[in-house]
Amino acid sequence: MGKSHSQRFLDIVNDAKSRVMECTVQDVQARVQNGEEFELIDVREDHEFNAARIPGAKHLGKGIIERDIEKAIPETSALIILYCGGGFRSALAADNLQKMGYTQVISMDGGFSGWKTAGFEIESGE
């Protein structure tokens, strides 16, 4: 990923990653191919989601996920896989959802950019 993140941001991401489960884009693709039931949540900004996304993903941006998750997914034991652009924001969101009592939250490491690089299907926006 070509972005340069500040050390303080990376510190809080690494702290969150020490508490959350992560998976690879290949793990998610295998779950999709196997027909597994799970909630795939895109936590990127509105403009990112609207431009392109993983097919079947629901959008709950990082700025509102904690506010809206209980309405979107009331069952705290539901399997939820979060993704963002590269796996940082999704780790932060996963950490917060766990603090809210969600027990099966996974952050997809590599995010949407990793998904695209792997050549997996994407859905374009409007």
Side-chain angles (χ1 to χ4, degrees), residues 6-92:
S6 74
Q7 190 55 53
R8 289 184 182 127
F9 174 71
L10 294 175
D11 289 346
I12 66 166
V13 167
N14 288 330
D15 179 58
K17 284 185 172 204
S18 74
R19 290 184 296 276
V20 301
M21 182 180 295
E22 292 185 289
C23 69
T24 66
V25 297
Q26 290 80 10
D27 293 332
V28 176
Q29 175 66 4
R31 286 177 186 269
V32 169
Q33 287 181 326
N34 292 333
E36 291 184 37
E37 296 274 330
F38 64 94
E39 299 284 349
L40 182 62
I41 306 295
D42 186 324
V43 302
R44 297 176 303 154
E45 298 293 321
D46 293 349
H47 70 276
E48 294 173 291
F49 179 81
N50 291 337
R53 64 201 150 274
I54 298 173
K58 295 178 184 173
H59 185 233
L60 285 173
K62 171 79 175 64
I64 56 97
I65 191 168
E66 295 88 354
R67 183 192 73 196
D68 295 352
I69 189 67
E70 291 177 277
K71 188 179 289 182
I73 306 172
E75 182 52 58
T76 58
S77 64
L79 176 57
I80 302 170
I81 300 176
L82 306 176
Y83 75 90
C84 60
F88 294 166
R89 291 173 288 177
S90 59
L92 294 170

